[in-house]
PDB file of all heavy atoms in Angstrom:
ATOM      1  N   GLY Y 240       8.116-106.710 -53.914  1.00 79.00           N
ATOM      2  CA  GLY Y 240       9.356-105.997 -53.902  1.00 79.00           C
ATOM      3  C   GLY Y 240       9.828-105.703 -52.486  1.00 79.00           C
ATOM      4  O   GLY Y 240      11.031-105.503 -52.220  1.00 79.00           O
ATOM      5  N   GLU Y 241       8.885-105.644 -51.545  1.00 89.00           N
ATOM      6  CA  GLU Y 241       9.215-105.404 -50.145  1.00 89.00           C
ATOM      7  C   GLU Y 241       8.549-106.439 -49.279  1.00 89.00           C
ATOM      8  O   GLU Y 241       7.437-106.870 -49.533  1.00 89.00           O
ATOM      9  CB  GLU Y 241       8.762-104.004 -49.712  1.00 89.00           C
ATOM     10  CG  GLU Y 241       9.575-102.844 -50.209  1.00 89.00           C
ATOM     11  CD  GLU Y 241       9.253-101.557 -49.520  1.00 89.00           C
ATOM     12  OE1 GLU Y 241       8.484-101.580 -48.512  1.00 89.00           O
ATOM     13  OE2 GLU Y 241       9.764-100.504 -49.926  1.00 89.00           O
ATOM     14  N   LEU Y 242       9.288-106.841 -48.237  1.00 92.00           N
ATOM     15  CA  LEU Y 242       8.748-107.726 -47.208  1.00 92.00           C
ATOM     16  C   LEU Y 242       8.877-107.039 -45.862  1.00 92.00           C
ATOM     17  O   LEU Y 242       9.880-106.369 -45.590  1.00 92.00           O
ATOM     18  CB  LEU Y 242       9.488-109.055 -47.197  1.00 92.00           C
ATOM     19  CG  LEU Y 242       9.306-109.959 -48.428  1.00 92.00           C
ATOM     20  CD1 LEU Y 242      10.183-111.202 -48.265  1.00 92.00           C
ATOM     21  CD2 LEU Y 242       7.859-110.357 -48.609  1.00 92.00           C
ATOM     22  N   HIS Y 243       7.888-107.199 -44.979  1.00 95.00           N
ATOM     23  CA  HIS Y 243       7.881-106.523 -43.675  1.00 95.00           C
ATOM     24  C   HIS Y 243       7.740-107.557 -42.570  1.00 95.00           C
ATOM     25  O   HIS Y 243       7.046-108.532 -42.679  1.00 95.00           O
ATOM     26  CB  HIS Y 243       6.708-105.520 -43.617  1.00 95.00           C
ATOM     27  CG  HIS Y 243       6.818-104.417 -44.584  1.00 95.00           C
ATOM     28  ND1 HIS Y 243       7.267-103.152 -44.263  1.00 95.00           N
ATOM     29  CD2 HIS Y 243       6.550-104.368 -45.929  1.00 95.00           C
ATOM     30  CE1 HIS Y 243       7.257-102.374 -45.326  1.00 95.00           C
ATOM     31  NE2 HIS Y 243       6.807-103.094 -46.363  1.00 95.00           N
ATOM     32  N   GLY Y 244       8.449-107.304 -41.480  1.00 96.00           N
ATOM     33  CA  GLY Y 244       8.371-108.159 -40.313  1.00 96.00           C
ATOM     34  C   GLY Y 244       9.503-109.156 -40.222  1.00 96.00           C
ATOM     35  O   GLY Y 244       9.982-109.680 -41.225  1.00 96.00           O
ATOM     36  N   ALA Y 245       9.922-109.428 -38.985  1.00 96.00           N
ATOM     37  CA  ALA Y 245      11.091-110.300 -38.749  1.00 96.00           C
ATOM     38  C   ALA Y 245      10.890-111.680 -39.295  1.00 96.00           C
ATOM     39  O   ALA Y 245      11.800-112.274 -39.884  1.00 96.00           O
ATOM     40  CB  ALA Y 245      11.408-110.308 -37.274  1.00 96.00           C
ATOM     41  N   ALA Y 246       9.724-112.274 -39.093  1.00 96.00           N
ATOM     42  CA  ALA Y 246       9.500-113.664 -39.516  1.00 96.00           C
ATOM     43  C   ALA Y 246       9.567-113.780 -41.038  1.00 96.00           C
ATOM     44  O   ALA Y 246      10.198-114.679 -41.590  1.00 96.00           O
ATOM     45  CB  ALA Y 246       8.147-114.172 -39.003  1.00 96.00           C
ATOM     46  N   ALA Y 247       8.906-112.820 -41.727  1.00 95.00           N
ATOM     47  CA  ALA Y 247       8.904-112.869 -43.191  1.00 95.00           C
ATOM     48  C   ALA Y 247      10.301-112.696 -43.764  1.00 95.00           C
ATOM     49  O   ALA Y 247      10.716-113.393 -44.721  1.00 95.00           O
ATOM     50  CB  ALA Y 247       7.960-111.788 -43.753  1.00 95.00           C
ATOM     51  N   VAL Y 248      11.077-111.763 -43.169  1.00 95.00           N
ATOM     52  CA  VAL Y 248      12.436-111.529 -43.657  1.00 95.00           C
ATOM     53  C   VAL Y 248      13.329-112.707 -43.320  1.00 95.00           C
ATOM     54  O   VAL Y 248      14.161-113.142 -44.130  1.00 95.00           O
ATOM     55  CB  VAL Y 248      12.960-110.195 -43.057  1.00 95.00           C
ATOM     56  CG1 VAL Y 248      14.451-110.031 -43.419  1.00 95.00           C
ATOM     57  CG2 VAL Y 248      12.191-109.021 -43.589  1.00 95.00           C
ATOM     58  N   ALA Y 249      13.227-113.227 -42.107  1.00 96.00           N
ATOM     59  CA  ALA Y 249      14.053-114.368 -41.711  1.00 96.00           C
ATOM     60  C   ALA Y 249      13.832-115.542 -42.672  1.00 96.00           C
ATOM     61  O   ALA Y 249      14.790-116.254 -43.013  1.00 96.00           O
ATOM     62  CB  ALA Y 249      13.726-114.770 -40.276  1.00 96.00           C
ATOM     63  N   ASN Y 250      12.612-115.766 -43.065  1.00 94.00           N
ATOM     64  CA  ASN Y 250      12.315-116.863 -43.985  1.00 94.00           C
ATOM     65  C   ASN Y 250      13.052-116.743 -45.327  1.00 94.00           C
ATOM     66  O   ASN Y 250      13.353-117.739 -45.972  1.00 94.00           O
ATOM     67  CB  ASN Y 250      10.799-116.929 -44.255  1.00 94.00           C
ATOM     68  CG  ASN Y 250      10.073-117.795 -43.235  1.00 94.00           C
ATOM     69  OD1 ASN Y 250      10.596-118.803 -42.781  1.00 94.00           O
ATOM     70  ND2 ASN Y 250       8.887-117.366 -42.857  1.00 94.00           N
ATOM     71  N   GLN Y 251      13.339-115.506 -45.726  1.00 91.00           N
ATOM     72  CA  GLN Y 251      14.031-115.282 -47.001  1.00 91.00           C
ATOM     73  C   GLN Y 251      15.519-115.636 -46.899  1.00 91.00           C
ATOM     74  O   GLN Y 251      16.157-115.895 -47.930  1.00 91.00           O
ATOM     75  CB  GLN Y 251      13.885-113.812 -47.412  1.00 91.00           C
ATOM     76  CG  GLN Y 251      12.475-113.394 -47.747  1.00 91.00           C
ATOM     77  CD  GLN Y 251      11.925-114.211 -48.920  1.00 91.00           C
ATOM     78  OE1 GLN Y 251      12.527-114.270 -50.002  1.00 91.00           O
ATOM     79  NE2 GLN Y 251      10.779-114.844 -48.711  1.00 91.00           N
ATOM     80  N   PHE Y 252      16.074-115.613 -45.700  1.00 93.00           N
ATOM     81  CA  PHE Y 252      17.523-115.819 -45.572  1.00 93.00           C
ATOM     82  C   PHE Y 252      17.942-117.093 -44.874  1.00 93.00           C
ATOM     83  O   PHE Y 252      19.094-117.506 -45.018  1.00 93.00           O
ATOM     84  CB  PHE Y 252      18.116-114.648 -44.781  1.00 93.00           C
ATOM     85  CG  PHE Y 252      18.096-113.338 -45.562  1.00 93.00           C
ATOM     86  CD1 PHE Y 252      17.145-112.381 -45.284  1.00 93.00           C
ATOM     87  CD2 PHE Y 252      19.035-113.079 -46.545  1.00 93.00           C
ATOM     88  CE1 PHE Y 252      17.111-111.175 -45.979  1.00 93.00           C
ATOM     89  CE2 PHE Y 252      19.008-111.898 -47.284  1.00 93.00           C
ATOM     90  CZ  PHE Y 252      18.057-110.950 -46.998  1.00 93.00           C
ATOM     91  N   VAL Y 253      17.038-117.754 -44.187  1.00 92.00           N
ATOM     92  CA  VAL Y 253      17.449-118.939 -43.423  1.00 92.00           C
ATOM     93  C   VAL Y 253      17.981-120.007 -44.375  1.00 92.00           C
ATOM     94  O   VAL Y 253      17.342-120.397 -45.344  1.00 92.00           O
ATOM     95  CB  VAL Y 253      16.247-119.465 -42.574  1.00 92.00           C
ATOM     96  CG1 VAL Y 253      15.117-119.985 -43.464  1.00 92.00           C
ATOM     97  CG2 VAL Y 253      16.729-120.525 -41.607  1.00 92.00           C
ATOM     98  N   GLY Y 254      19.223-120.419 -44.111  1.00 89.00           N
ATOM     99  CA  GLY Y 254      19.873-121.426 -44.951  1.00 89.00           C
ATOM    100  C   GLY Y 254      20.327-120.916 -46.294  1.00 89.00           C
ATOM    101  O   GLY Y 254      20.743-121.718 -47.145  1.00 89.00           O
ATOM    102  N   ARG Y 255      20.317-119.594 -46.520  1.00 85.00           N
ATOM    103  CA  ARG Y 255      20.567-119.068 -47.864  1.00 85.00           C
ATOM    104  C   ARG Y 255      21.621-117.967 -47.918  1.00 85.00           C
ATOM    105  O   ARG Y 255      21.607-117.114 -48.787  1.00 85.00           O
ATOM    106  CB  ARG Y 255      19.292-118.471 -48.463  1.00 85.00           C
ATOM    107  CG  ARG Y 255      18.175-119.505 -48.642  1.00 85.00           C
ATOM    108  CD  ARG Y 255      16.928-118.840 -49.189  1.00 85.00           C
ATOM    109  NE  ARG Y 255      15.822-119.748 -49.262  1.00 85.00           N
ATOM    110  CZ  ARG Y 255      14.595-119.430 -49.626  1.00 85.00           C
ATOM    111  NH1 ARG Y 255      14.303-118.163 -49.934  1.00 85.00           N
ATOM    112  NH2 ARG Y 255      13.626-120.343 -49.667  1.00 85.00           N
ATOM    113  N   ALA Y 256      22.573-117.999 -47.021  1.00 85.00           N
ATOM    114  CA  ALA Y 256      23.594-116.934 -47.020  1.00 85.00           C
ATOM    115  C   ALA Y 256      24.990-117.473 -47.304  1.00 85.00           C
ATOM    116  O   ALA Y 256      25.975-116.972 -46.757  1.00 85.00           O
ATOM    117  CB  ALA Y 256      23.576-116.174 -45.715  1.00 85.00           C
ATOM    118  N   GLN Y 257      25.090-118.471 -48.180  1.00 86.00           N
ATOM    119  CA  GLN Y 257      26.407-118.973 -48.566  1.00 86.00           C
ATOM    120  C   GLN Y 257      27.078-117.940 -49.445  1.00 86.00           C
ATOM    121  O   GLN Y 257      26.450-117.078 -50.043  1.00 86.00           O
ATOM    122  CB  GLN Y 257      26.244-120.298 -49.287  1.00 86.00           C
ATOM    123  CG  GLN Y 257      25.402-121.325 -48.572  1.00 86.00           C
ATOM    124  CD  GLN Y 257      25.785-121.567 -47.117  1.00 86.00           C
ATOM    125  OE1 GLN Y 257      26.964-121.668 -46.801  1.00 86.00           O
ATOM    126  NE2 GLN Y 257      24.817-121.641 -46.228  1.00 86.00           N
ATOM    127  N   ALA Y 258      28.387-118.030 -49.540  1.00 90.00           N
ATOM    128  CA  ALA Y 258      29.187-117.145 -50.410  1.00 90.00           C
ATOM    129  C   ALA Y 258      28.957-115.669 -50.073  1.00 90.00           C
ATOM    130  O   ALA Y 258      28.874-114.825 -50.938  1.00 90.00           O
ATOM    131  CB  ALA Y 258      28.900-117.428 -51.876  1.00 90.00           C
ATOM    132  N   THR Y 259      28.857-115.400 -48.776  1.00 93.00           N
ATOM    133  CA  THR Y 259      28.665-114.005 -48.341  1.00 93.00           C
ATOM    134  C   THR Y 259      29.763-113.626 -47.343  1.00 93.00           C
ATOM    135  O   THR Y 259      30.366-114.485 -46.685  1.00 93.00           O
ATOM    136  CB  THR Y 259      27.301-113.806 -47.650  1.00 93.00           C
ATOM    137  OG1 THR Y 259      27.235-114.697 -46.475  1.00 93.00           O
ATOM    138  CG2 THR Y 259      26.153-114.098 -48.573  1.00 93.00           C
ATOM    139  N   GLN Y 260      30.022-112.346 -47.253  1.00 94.00           N
ATOM    140  CA  GLN Y 260      31.003-111.840 -46.288  1.00 94.00           C
ATOM    141  C   GLN Y 260      30.684-110.354 -45.982  1.00 94.00           C
ATOM    142  O   GLN Y 260      30.207-109.638 -46.852  1.00 94.00           O
ATOM    143  CB  GLN Y 260      32.431-111.939 -46.821  1.00 94.00           C
ATOM    144  CG  GLN Y 260      33.498-111.601 -45.770  1.00 94.00           C
ATOM    145  CD  GLN Y 260      34.893-111.844 -46.321  1.00 94.00           C
ATOM    146  OE1 GLN Y 260      35.120-111.940 -47.517  1.00 94.00           O
ATOM    147  NE2 GLN Y 260      35.885-111.930 -45.430  1.00 94.00           N
ATOM    148  N   THR Y 261      30.952-109.969 -44.749  1.00 95.00           N
ATOM    149  CA  THR Y 261      30.774-108.563 -44.399  1.00 95.00           C
ATOM    150  C   THR Y 261      31.795-107.708 -45.137  1.00 95.00           C
ATOM    151  O   THR Y 261      32.921-108.138 -45.439  1.00 95.00           O
ATOM    152  CB  THR Y 261      30.942-108.328 -42.894  1.00 95.00           C
ATOM    153  OG1 THR Y 261      32.201-108.856 -42.486  1.00 95.00           O
ATOM    154  CG2 THR Y 261      29.816-108.972 -42.121  1.00 95.00           C
ATOM    155  N   ALA Y 262      31.386-106.478 -45.470  1.00 95.00           N
ATOM    156  CA  ALA Y 262      32.236-105.499 -46.139  1.00 95.00           C
ATOM    157  C   ALA Y 262      31.676-104.125 -45.879  1.00 95.00           C
ATOM    158  O   ALA Y 262      30.555-103.985 -45.380  1.00 95.00           O
ATOM    159  CB  ALA Y 262      32.297-105.803 -47.649  1.00 95.00           C
ATOM    160  N   LEU Y 263      32.459-103.106 -46.201  1.00 94.00           N
ATOM    161  CA  LEU Y 263      31.909-101.767 -46.182  1.00 94.00           C
ATOM    162  C   LEU Y 263      31.140-101.539 -47.490  1.00 94.00           C
ATOM    163  O   LEU Y 263      31.719-101.675 -48.573  1.00 94.00           O
ATOM    164  CB  LEU Y 263      33.025-100.709 -46.062  1.00 94.00           C
ATOM    165  CG  LEU Y 263      33.597-100.513 -44.646  1.00 94.00           C
ATOM    166  CD1 LEU Y 263      34.778 -99.519 -44.728  1.00 94.00           C
ATOM    167  CD2 LEU Y 263      32.549 -99.999 -43.688  1.00 94.00           C
ATOM    168  N   VAL Y 264      29.885-101.223 -47.346  1.00 93.00           N
ATOM    169  CA  VAL Y 264      29.018-100.969 -48.506  1.00 93.00           C
ATOM    170  C   VAL Y 264      28.581 -99.510 -48.408  1.00 93.00           C
ATOM    171  O   VAL Y 264      27.831 -99.123 -47.535  1.00 93.00           O
ATOM    172  CB  VAL Y 264      27.794-101.886 -48.532  1.00 93.00           C
ATOM    173  CG1 VAL Y 264      26.876-101.541 -49.690  1.00 93.00           C
ATOM    174  CG2 VAL Y 264      28.246-103.353 -48.597  1.00 93.00           C
ATOM    175  N   ASN Y 265      29.158 -98.695 -49.297  1.00 90.00           N
ATOM    176  CA  ASN Y 265      28.877 -97.232 -49.278  1.00 90.00           C
ATOM    177  C   ASN Y 265      29.171 -96.671 -47.878  1.00 90.00           C
ATOM    178  O   ASN Y 265      28.447 -95.801 -47.379  1.00 90.00           O
ATOM    179  CB  ASN Y 265      27.453 -96.934 -49.686  1.00 90.00           C
ATOM    180  CG  ASN Y 265      27.206 -97.252 -51.149  1.00 90.00           C
ATOM    181  OD1 ASN Y 265      28.096 -97.156 -51.988  1.00 90.00           O
ATOM    182  ND2 ASN Y 265      25.978 -97.626 -51.490  1.00 90.00           N
ATOM    183  N   GLY Y 266      30.263 -97.144 -47.282  1.00 89.00           N
ATOM    184  CA  GLY Y 266      30.722 -96.577 -46.011  1.00 89.00           C
ATOM    185  C   GLY Y 266      30.135 -97.178 -44.766  1.00 89.00           C
ATOM    186  O   GLY Y 266      30.569 -96.821 -43.651  1.00 89.00           O
ATOM    187  N   SER Y 267      29.185 -98.087 -44.867  1.00 92.00           N
ATOM    188  CA  SER Y 267      28.559 -98.709 -43.702  1.00 92.00           C
ATOM    189  C   SER Y 267      28.746-100.241 -43.802  1.00 92.00           C
ATOM    190  O   SER Y 267      28.957-100.761 -44.891  1.00 92.00           O
ATOM    191  CB  SER Y 267      27.080 -98.375 -43.620  1.00 92.00           C
ATOM    192  OG  SER Y 267      26.898 -96.990 -43.483  1.00 92.00           O
ATOM    193  N   VAL Y 268      28.580-100.933 -42.689  1.00 94.00           N
ATOM    194  CA  VAL Y 268      28.744-102.366 -42.703  1.00 94.00           C
ATOM    195  C   VAL Y 268      27.582-103.021 -43.466  1.00 94.00           C
ATOM    196  O   VAL Y 268      26.410-102.790 -43.146  1.00 94.00           O
ATOM    197  CB  VAL Y 268      28.800-102.950 -41.270  1.00 94.00           C
ATOM    198  CG1 VAL Y 268      28.957-104.456 -41.317  1.00 94.00           C
ATOM    199  CG2 VAL Y 268      29.955-102.314 -40.479  1.00 94.00           C
ATOM    200  N   GLY Y 269      27.955-103.777 -44.474  1.00 95.00           N
ATOM    201  CA  GLY Y 269      26.954-104.504 -45.266  1.00 95.00           C
ATOM    202  C   GLY Y 269      27.499-105.855 -45.650  1.00 95.00           C
ATOM    203  O   GLY Y 269      28.382-106.400 -44.963  1.00 95.00           O
ATOM    204  N   VAL Y 270      27.009-106.415 -46.758  1.00 96.00           N
ATOM    205  CA  VAL Y 270      27.351-107.770 -47.124  1.00 96.00           C
ATOM    206  C   VAL Y 270      27.610-107.805 -48.634  1.00 96.00           C
ATOM    207  O   VAL Y 270      26.868-107.204 -49.440  1.00 96.00           O
ATOM    208  CB  VAL Y 270      26.203-108.738 -46.800  1.00 96.00           C
ATOM    209  CG1 VAL Y 270      26.543-110.168 -47.215  1.00 96.00           C
ATOM    210  CG2 VAL Y 270      25.915-108.696 -45.283  1.00 96.00           C
ATOM    211  N   VAL Y 271      28.659-108.547 -49.040  1.00 95.00           N
ATOM    212  CA  VAL Y 271      28.847-108.876 -50.450  1.00 95.00           C
ATOM    213  C   VAL Y 271      28.446-110.334 -50.669  1.00 95.00           C
ATOM    214  O   VAL Y 271      28.693-111.189 -49.818  1.00 95.00           O
ATOM    215  CB  VAL Y 271      30.275-108.637 -50.932  1.00 95.00           C
ATOM    216  CG1 VAL Y 271      30.645-107.174 -50.912  1.00 95.00           C
ATOM    217  CG2 VAL Y 271      31.291-109.451 -50.107  1.00 95.00           C
ATOM    218  N   VAL Y 272      27.820-110.591 -51.779  1.00 94.00           N
ATOM    219  CA  VAL Y 272      27.444-111.969 -52.201  1.00 94.00           C
ATOM    220  C   VAL Y 272      28.302-112.269 -53.435  1.00 94.00           C
ATOM    221  O   VAL Y 272      28.148-111.631 -54.475  1.00 94.00           O
ATOM    222  CB  VAL Y 272      25.944-112.066 -52.553  1.00 94.00           C
ATOM    223  CG1 VAL Y 272      25.582-113.517 -52.825  1.00 94.00           C
ATOM    224  CG2 VAL Y 272      25.099-111.505 -51.447  1.00 94.00           C
ATOM    225  N   ALA Y 273      29.225-113.230 -53.261  1.00 92.00           N
ATOM    226  CA  ALA Y 273      30.206-113.421 -54.338  1.00 92.00           C
ATOM    227  C   ALA Y 273      30.673-114.887 -54.422  1.00 92.00           C
ATOM    228  O   ALA Y 273      31.724-115.229 -53.936  1.00 92.00           O
ATOM    229  CB  ALA Y 273      31.428-112.517 -54.089  1.00 92.00           C
ATOM    230  N   PRO Y 274      29.864-115.752 -55.078  1.00 89.00           N
ATOM    231  CA  PRO Y 274      30.319-117.130 -55.259  1.00 89.00           C
ATOM    232  C   PRO Y 274      31.628-117.160 -56.021  1.00 89.00           C
ATOM    233  O   PRO Y 274      31.778-116.484 -57.054  1.00 89.00           O
ATOM    234  CB  PRO Y 274      29.184-117.763 -56.090  1.00 89.00           C
ATOM    235  CG  PRO Y 274      27.967-116.883 -55.833  1.00 89.00           C
ATOM    236  CD  PRO Y 274      28.537-115.499 -55.653  1.00 89.00           C
ATOM    237  N   TYR Y 275      32.596-117.917 -55.509  1.00 84.00           N
ATOM    238  CA  TYR Y 275      33.922-118.001 -56.122  1.00 84.00           C
ATOM    239  C   TYR Y 275      34.570-116.633 -56.324  1.00 84.00           C
ATOM    240  O   TYR Y 275      35.398-116.420 -57.220  1.00 84.00           O
ATOM    241  CB  TYR Y 275      33.863-118.750 -57.468  1.00 84.00           C
ATOM    242  CG  TYR Y 275      33.417-120.179 -57.332  1.00 84.00           C
ATOM    243  CD1 TYR Y 275      32.121-120.582 -57.682  1.00 84.00           C
ATOM    244  CD2 TYR Y 275      34.294-121.171 -56.848  1.00 84.00           C
ATOM    245  CE1 TYR Y 275      31.721-121.884 -57.530  1.00 84.00           C
ATOM    246  CE2 TYR Y 275      33.890-122.490 -56.718  1.00 84.00           C
ATOM    247  CZ  TYR Y 275      32.616-122.846 -57.053  1.00 84.00           C
ATOM    248  OH  TYR Y 275      32.198-124.126 -56.913  1.00 84.00           O
ATOM    249  N   GLY Y 276      34.186-115.667 -55.471  1.00 85.00           N
ATOM    250  CA  GLY Y 276      34.773-114.354 -55.562  1.00 85.00           C
ATOM    251  C   GLY Y 276      34.228-113.460 -56.635  1.00 85.00           C
ATOM    252  O   GLY Y 276      34.707-112.387 -56.868  1.00 85.00           O
TER     253      GLY Y 276
END
């Protein structure tokens, strides 16, 4: 359920952030994942 460390986390996202965009998430900068909106 949790991963620690930059390398382990980077491995989870490399090449896998399609259909994403920055947005305000609960008032802070975050990301929405929304294929075809």
Side-chain angles (χ1 to χ4, degrees):
E241 285 192 8
L242 293 176
H243 297 259
V248 172
N250 273 323
Q251 293 300 305
F252 291 101
V253 66
R255 298 179 184 175
Q257 309 308 317
T259 59
Q260 188 176 17
T261 54
L263 281 176
V264 177
N265 292 330
S267 300
V268 179
V270 179
V271 293
V272 186
Y275 296 103

